[in-house]
Amino acid sequence: MSGTLYGLGIGPGDPELITLKALRLLQAADVVAYPAPEQGDSLARRIVAPHLSGGQAELAIRMPLSVARFPAQAVYEQAAGDLAAHLKAGRNVAVLCEGDPFLYGSFMYLFGRLSEDFPVEIVPGVSSLTACAAALQYPLVSRNDVLTVIPAPLDDETIAHKLLHTDAAAILKLGRHGPRVIELLNRLHLADRARYIERATMAEQRILPLSEVDPTAIPYFAMIVVHRKGRQHFMEFGA
């Protein structure tokens, strides 16, 4: 019998935000695989490092992180082949995914290549959306509000349209697009309804007013949460 492929959502960064199920499967796996940059350490592995049982085989899936080259098809083809070899040998493989595997998660590219040939189990994780809202102490939505998730690499016109046709929005993947997005929020008169956070739940977490964000130092793991009705909206219903 072949091994099982586990896609484990390991949360946004705090090692304590991994679920009990993901922890159990992680520690029982024969092989632990995780995304990593072409050079340097893996954030996903760093998150679970306190939980690793030791003695497991590890596979770093090294990939380019530049927008122009991601997702890199050749990288995923190679990784799928490496994982398939372990699975065919009867080894269970846990693939780590920051946040949730099916919310912009890299695991989905491996899932698409392996799920027809091997048993797969996916364990959802605490997503960046809920982690950022909790850290900001700023609710995402209530009652019949509509939430829109907006990737920052979209063009200004598309982002503006989505912001103006929703109740609340989470703008993620900021990085080098952050200054442009902040400028757009100012033009749309939504800056006072926006909250900025970077590296939520990690030791390096920072929460800043938009006016104090350094446009030259916005990381990829940053998010802006916007609610067009503002905080007062969440107080009125319970009054």
Side-chain angles (χ1 to χ4, degrees), residues 17-68:
L17 289 179
I18 186 172
T19 66
L20 292 174
K21 184 170 186 177
L23 177 61
R24 173 176 59 82
L25 294 172
L26 168 68
Q27 294 179 335
D30 302 300
V31 180
V32 178
Y34 41 81
E38 291 178 290
Q39 301 291 332
D41 297 332
S42 163
L43 173 59
R45 190 193 186 282
R46 189 179 82 185
I47 293 171
V48 305
H51 306 305
L52 292 175
S53 59
Q56 298 162 299
E58 295 189 22
L59 175 62
I61 303 171
R62 297 200 175 272
M63 61 187 70
L65 299 182
S66 64
V67 174

Side-chain angles (χ1 to χ4, degrees), residues 182-214:
I182 292 173
E183 181 181 351
L184 178 61
L185 288 168
N186 281 307
R187 292 205 310 267
L188 296 175
H189 304 291
L190 289 173
D192 63 331
R193 304 295 173 89
R195 302 290 185 275
Y196 172 91
I197 183 170
E198 60 186 49
R199 299 185 175 93
T201 81
M202 303 181 198
E204 308 91 340
Q205 172 183 299
R206 292 204 308 162
I207 297 172
L208 296 169
L210 289 188
S211 59
E212 296 181 13
V213 175
D214 180 355

Side-chain angles (χ1 to χ4, degrees), residues 23-215:
L23 177 61
R24 173 176 59 82
L25 294 172
L26 168 68
Q27 294 179 335
D30 302 300
V31 180
V32 178
Y34 41 81
E38 291 178 290
Q39 301 291 332
D41 297 332
S42 163
L43 173 59
R45 190 193 186 282
R46 189 179 82 185
I47 293 171
V48 305
H51 306 305
L52 292 175
S53 59
Q56 298 162 299
E58 295 189 22
L59 175 62
I61 303 171
R62 297 200 175 272
M63 61 187 70
L65 299 182
S66 64
V67 174
R69 300 168 59 197
F70 186 90
Q73 300 299 327
V75 171
Y76 286 112
E77 291 291 346
Q78 178 65 51
D82 294 340
L83 297 180
H86 285 293
L87 293 167
K88 289 176 181 177
R91 304 184 191 100
N92 292 331
V93 179
V95 179
L96 310 182
C97 189
E98 298 144 23
D100 182 271
F102 278 0
L103 183 67
Y104 299 108
S106 58
F107 174 76
M108 67 182 70
Y109 304 115
L110 297 171
F111 173 82
R113 290 166 169 78
L114 296 168
S115 59
E116 293 186 2
D117 299 316
F118 302 99
V120 179
E121 184 174 346
I122 299 162
V123 181
V126 176
S127 73
S128 59
L129 298 177
T130 53
C132 287
L136 288 166
Q137 297 189 13
Y138 194 66
L140 289 172
V141 283
S142 69
R143 290 173 279 169
N144 295 323
D145 290 343
V146 174
L147 173 67
T148 300
V149 180
I150 304 176
L154 293 174
D155 62 83
D156 283 6
E157 183 178 356
T158 301
I159 294 175
H161 177 81
K162 293 184 181 300
L163 285 171
L164 296 176
H165 292 83
T166 193
D167 298 304
I171 309 173
L172 37 72
K173 303 183 181 181
L174 287 174
R176 63 187 178 88
H177 304 284
R180 176 173 58 86
V181 170
I182 292 173
E183 181 181 351
L184 178 61
L185 288 168
N186 281 307
R187 292 205 310 267
L188 296 175
H189 304 291
L190 289 173
D192 63 331
R193 304 295 173 89
R195 302 290 185 275
Y196 172 91
I197 183 170
E198 60 186 49
R199 299 185 175 93
T201 81
M202 303 181 198
E204 308 91 340
Q205 172 183 299
R206 292 204 308 162
I207 297 172
L208 296 169
L210 289 188
S211 59
E212 296 181 13
V213 175
D214 180 355

